[in-house]
Structures are given as C-alpha cells and as structure tokens.
Amino acid sequence: MTNVQLNQQTLSSLPDAIARPNYDRSNLKAGIVHIGVGGFHRSHEAFYTDQLLNQNQTLDWGICGIGLRESDRQIATALAQQDYLYTLIEKHPSGEVKHRVIGAIIDFILAIDDAPAAINKMAHEDTKIVSLTITEGGYYFNPASNEFDLSHPDVQHDLNNPDNPKMVFGFLTAALKKRRSAGLPAFTVQSCDNIQHNGDMTKKMLLAFVQQHDADLASWIEQEVKFPNAMVDRITPVTTRDDIDALANAGVTDAWPVVCESFHQWVIEDEFGNGRPAWERAGAHFVSDVTPYETMKIRLLNAGHSVLGLLGSIHGHQTIDGCVADPLFASYLRRFMDVEATPILDPVDGIDLDDYKNTLIERFGNPNVKDHLSRICLESSSKLPKFLISTIKENLANGGSIRYATLVIAAWCYYSDKGTDQTGQALDIIDEMKEQLHHAATNSKSDPLAFLKLYNVFGDLAKEPSFTAVYKPMRETLYQTSNIATQMQNLMAEH
C-alpha cells in the first residue's frame, strides 16, 4: 500500500476506506475561533463542525485555532504542515476502527508569538463564536470559593499589559473591546470544558477580570455577550506512537492524529448572540437548560473516571479499560455510582440513568481505547472539587453515603505523598498544585487532616466531623497496608 502524506493536495489520493471532507475548504470562513486546540476539541467540536460542513449547509463555520501556551507550539506546527488537516481514529468496542480526515480547522495562530494577530482574529467581523477548551485550571478561579483569582501573576500581567495578554480573559477582553469600538456585534463565548455551568462560570470569571480593567466594557459585555452552558462528552485518550504507526500502515502519514471512542454527546443551551452552526444536524442536542445533563455527566462519568484513576493508579493498573476488566474495580465503580452519585441527581429528560451507567461502564471498558490513568489524574486538584468533592458535600448535607468517595480522597492523599503505586513504581503526576499536595499529604503523618486543610481544594471539609470520622481511619489503614484492593473489598463487604 502506498503511504500518503496528509495535506490538502493529497486528499484525493487517500485510501478509499478513509473518509475525507467533501466541501471546498478554500472558501471556508473562520466563523469560529477556538482557544485550546487539543485532542478533545479535535474529536468533538471540530468533528461536529466537519460533519455539518460535509452536508454542504454552509461555508461560514470554519475554525481558526489559537494557542496561548508554549506547549501549543507542537500542535500548531503539526497542523500547519498538513494544511490543518488531521485524521480522527474512531475505535469501537467491537474492535472496528474507522478513519476520517477532519477539515474544519483552516488556520492556527500561536498567540504567544503574536498576541495582536490573535486579538484581531477574534475581533474580525467573520468571527461569530469564540469557543474554549482550556481545562479547569484555565479559568483562574478558586475552587473552594468559585471566585476569580485576581492575585494570580497572569491576571496581574494582563491588567497591566492589556494589548499583550497571556490568559484567555485578557484576549477576550481585548477582542471584545475592539469589536465594541468598531460597532460590531459581540461574539458568543462558548466553553467546551468539563465544568458545571461552564458558560456561567466563564461569564463570571470574565466579568470579574473586566471590572478591574474597564467598568463600562464590563457592562457592555454583560448585556451583549452570550455564554451558553454546554455538556460535552467523548473519551479522547492521548495519541500514542502506536496509533500513528497503525495509521501509517493504513496508508496515511499524519504527524498528530486523534484517537477517540465511537460515542459522542453534546448538549447545548440555545443562547447565541450572533448566529450559530446548525450542529443539531450533526447530532448535537439543543435545550433550554443543560443543568441536569451536565450534572449527570460530571457526577457519573467524570467522577467515575477519577474513582478509577486514583484507586487504579495506586493498585498498579495503567488504563481505564484495565480497571474495568478487573471485577473488583468495576464493581466498586458501579457501587459508587448507584449508592452515592445517583441518589442526588435530578431526573434527566430522555435519559434512563441505569442505561446511562451501563453504557458508561461499556465505554470505560473499551479495550481499543487505551485511556491512561496518568491522563485521567491530570490536574486532579482542579477536577475533584467539581467531580467528586461536591458529591461528598451534598451527601453529608442529605445524610447519604460518603464511604466510597471518601476512600478515593484517602487514596489521593497517599498518591500525592508517595508518588508511587503500592509496588513502588513511580507515578506520572501532573498537577499545578503538585508540590502543595505533596507537602500537605506528607504532613498528614503527624496531622491526619493536613491534606484536607488545602482550603482551595477541599473548602471546610476538614471541619466536618461526619467526614473526618470516615476519612481518618481509611487514610491510616491505607498507609499501614499500602493495599487499596483490600480496603475496597472490605468496604464493599461491609456495605
């Protein structure tokens, strides 16, 4: 088989089994500017947009990517060399693999090299939506108080250098200011991050920043800019060298393809101020209130990931599917979902929660999607307050069970302290608060509640006797035995 280097000129030479854009990319307008072009954006929003474009409904919704970090340079270079094309590798539980070249991205600006170019692109009249996948840490909020962190060095830099910002809110502010001055309508700001009420959170954080910069502009933004809440879902593990090699064996050389599961879901509140793509034609679901959908997903899928990620990491499992293949871990996950997460969920229109949980476990167990636990545990200090600790707090308030989630917190303390699994193998821990977590976890040997006293993560949880009475013996037993499986078995036997 002849191997084809992916770019615009070689599209027609690709193997027949590989789907490709059927629209004229040269005539696409960048109606969407997306900040944070990682694997998830490319498997989700760009995928939906490509599906819509393939229906030849419009050419107004191409995507221009923007990178705010030095770490974005690699993806910027890889995409530019391929005319911003890339291959989506869709892996089904049955073992079937489908390949599709996505053409929705048509440009990329590395803002750390040229901040004015990024600002001007967002301010351009063609731009109708600025969307975000910047991870939880990119919102600069204090997880315990949900208030904007005005003391952060990046925030202070952007307040003092409004024309050369570093963070997303500095860029949004500069671009919206230019649009207002030019008499252009505001673009819609659309978060695609796993944050409950992500649109509301984005609005709150942006306005907190802009108020410090320009109160009149803040008032205009509050009146004119829409921030639709959305729930996004598609498991997208890190692309490996084996994935790239397998694609090459299928006939395509692609510097950075994206691997994903076959399942995808996007539920969006239909609140757009300057037009939007008809994503519903590509399978998105528009609703008046996304709250029950996003709560369901965060409390079951995202929390479930964290349960398996931390417990599995200590045990020595490497991937999510490896955890689910272990009957103990699969049973523990289901027990957590049934006993602690589901009872505090509101009904979700059109969703049977038992079916949803069955589907989650099937998705997690997909042996063809090797989602590594190191990715799942990435930036846990930003994720767990929303995914898991919120469930603990609600159950404390309602008198519900907290034992299954509490063991995960005890495991997180051990994980942060030791930095190894129970066999002594080093763990790849990536977290902006890694040093603080390690220090607090280490101090828990002399003060059993030291880990919980990280207020930015846990709030007042250390002052909750009903929680600490469960947490302290779990943490102590784990440190004594270094055997997470035994504690899981004992806990399930007791309850």
Side-chain angles (χ1 to χ4, degrees):
M1 178 183 293
T2 302
N3 195 278
V4 178
Q5 173 65 56
L6 180 62
N7 57 51
Q8 185 64 38
Q9 289 187 333
T10 62
L11 275 179
S12 61
S13 303
L14 294 176
D16 292 340
I18 296 177
R20 68 210 74 182
N22 64 9
Y23 48 90
D24 184 357
R25 297 179 72 236
S26 67
N27 286 327
L28 276 181
K29 293 181 180 179
I32 302 168
V33 170
H34 185 82
I35 301 174
V37 181
F40 182 75
H41 167 70
R42 295 196 288 149
S43 78
H44 197 264
E45 183 183 1
F47 160 79
Y48 277 90
T49 305
D50 180 77
Q51 294 284 89
L52 178 61
L53 293 170
N54 273 314
Q55 297 175 28
N56 294 308
Q57 297 292 327
T58 177
L59 292 174
D60 292 336
W61 296 110
I63 300 170
C64 173
I66 289 183
L68 303 185
R69 306 293 185 195
E70 179 59 37
S71 56
D72 293 317
R73 190 175 299 279
Q74 186 178 359
I75 187 65
T77 300
L79 287 175
Q81 291 174 345
Q82 298 178 175
D83 299 320
Y84 309 103
L85 296 165
Y86 62 92
T87 311
L88 193 66
I89 304 171
E90 192 176 274
K91 296 187 177 182
H92 295 245
S94 65
E96 182 184 14
V97 178
K98 293 184 178 180
H99 300 98
R100 173 178 297 279
V101 173
I102 304 295
I105 299 176
I106 56 174
D107 197 5
F108 194 107
I109 298 169
L110 203 56
I112 55 170
D113 288 349
D114 194 346
I119 293 167
N120 289 337
K121 190 66 177 179
M122 286 186 272
H124 193 280
E125 63 180 347
D126 286 347
T127 301
K128 306 296 192 296
I129 296 170
V130 175
S131 55
L132 317 172
T133 46
I134 53 177
T135 74
E136 293 83 355
Y139 289 83
Y140 293 86
F141 65 88
N142 181 317
S145 65
N146 273 358
E147 298 300 327
F148 189 64
D149 184 5
L150 285 166
S151 66
H152 195 285
D154 289 352
V155 176
Q156 290 301 309
H157 172 276
D158 285 12
L159 289 172
N160 293 317
N161 300 275
D163 296 325
N164 189 32
K166 287 185 176 181
M167 62 164 192
V168 63
F169 300 114
F171 280 95
L172 291 173
T173 300
L176 286 166
K177 187 174 184 177
K178 285 180 72 76
R179 289 181 80 106
R180 185 183 65 159
S181 296
L184 293 172
F187 49 69
T188 295
V189 181
Q190 181 175 36
S191 171
C192 299
D193 281 302
N194 282 320
I195 296 176
Q196 204 158 6
H197 297 303
N198 52 17
D200 293 343
M201 176 63 77
T202 307
K203 180 178 182 178
K204 180 179 179 179
M205 299 300 108
L206 176 61
L207 288 175
F209 173 78
V210 182
Q211 283 285 0
Q212 301 294 315
H213 170 71
D214 184 335
D216 288 340
L217 179 61
S219 178
W220 182 82
I221 289 172
E222 187 162 20
Q223 293 175 6
E224 301 295 331
V225 181
K226 300 296 185 182
F227 299 83
N229 293 310
M231 183 268 266
V232 298
D233 191 4
R234 192 171 211 181
I235 296 172
T236 308
V238 173
T239 304
T240 67
R241 184 73 246 177
D242 287 344
D243 295 321
I244 295 171
D245 291 343
L247 181 60
N249 290 334
V252 182
T253 297
D254 185 335
W256 204 331
V258 181
V259 176
C260 64
E261 63 173 337
S262 52
F263 180 93
H264 54 86
Q265 188 175 31
W266 198 4
V267 184
I268 317 167
E269 291 179 355
D270 201 355
E271 292 287 336
F272 290 77
N274 194 19
R276 67 164 177 82
W279 280 313
E280 64 270 29
R281 295 178 180 269
H285 186 38
F286 284 92
V287 298
S288 59
D289 182 9
V290 80
T291 303
Y293 298 90
E294 64 184 5
T295 304
M296 173 190 73
K297 190 250 181 173
I298 286 170
R299 299 294 180 88
L300 293 173
L301 185 148
N302 296 117
H305 259 161
S306 293
V307 168
L308 293 180
L310 288 164
L311 299 179
S313 292
I314 292 175
H315 183 69
H317 286 308
Q318 300 297 313
T319 61
I320 286 290
D321 71 290
C323 288
V324 174
D326 183 328
L328 172 63
F329 282 78
S331 297
Y332 191 95
L333 171 63
R334 186 59 188 245
R335 190 77 66 89
F336 160 76
M337 291 195 295
D338 288 345
V339 175
E340 296 184 1
T342 303
I344 58 174
L345 292 177
D346 292 327
V348 186
D349 186 36
I351 302 288
D352 182 298
L353 287 178
D354 281 334
D355 288 346
Y356 183 78
K357 288 181 283 189
N358 291 336
T359 300
L360 278 185
I361 292 177
E362 179 185 19
R363 293 168 62 195
F364 287 0
N366 185 341
N368 303 298
V369 177
K370 296 297 181 185
D371 206 356
H372 284 264
L373 300 190
S374 58
R375 187 192 77 86
I376 297 301
C377 295
L378 184 78
E379 302 296 347
S380 287
S381 64
S382 293
K383 295 175 180 177
L384 263 67
K386 294 173 289 294
F387 298 170
L388 191 68
I389 296 169
S390 54
T391 293
I392 292 173
K393 290 180 177 179
E394 284 194 41
N395 277 319
L396 284 170
N398 297 335
S401 170
I402 62 167
R403 300 184 70 84
Y404 297 103
T406 301
L407 181 59
V408 179
I409 302 301
W412 190 22
C413 179
Y414 182 97
Y415 170 97
S416 300
D417 179 12
K418 302 289 188 181
T420 64
D421 65 23
Q422 60 194 27
T423 70
Q425 293 295 312
L427 296 168
D428 184 17
I429 301 176
I430 303 172
D431 197 301
E432 189 172 304
M433 291 186 64
K434 179 179 178 179
E435 294 306 317
Q436 293 164 269
L437 291 163
H438 174 70
H439 181 71
T442 300
N443 286 345
S444 68
K445 295 165 190 170
S446 56
D447 174 4
L449 300 182
F451 191 61
L452 302 180
K453 291 177 181 177
L454 287 169
Y455 181 80
N456 285 357
V457 177
F458 296 102
D460 290 324
L461 206 54
K463 298 178 182 178
E464 292 280 354
S466 298
F467 178 77
T468 59
V470 177
Y471 168 80
K472 286 196 289 186
M474 284 185 175
R475 190 205 64 81
E476 183 177 353
T477 301
L478 181 55
Y479 270 74
Q480 288 173 348
T481 65
S482 295
N483 191 320
I484 195 68
T486 298
Q487 278 190 264
M488 293 166 65
Q489 289 168 336
N490 292 341
L491 182 55
M492 293 178 67
E494 292 170 5
H495 299 274

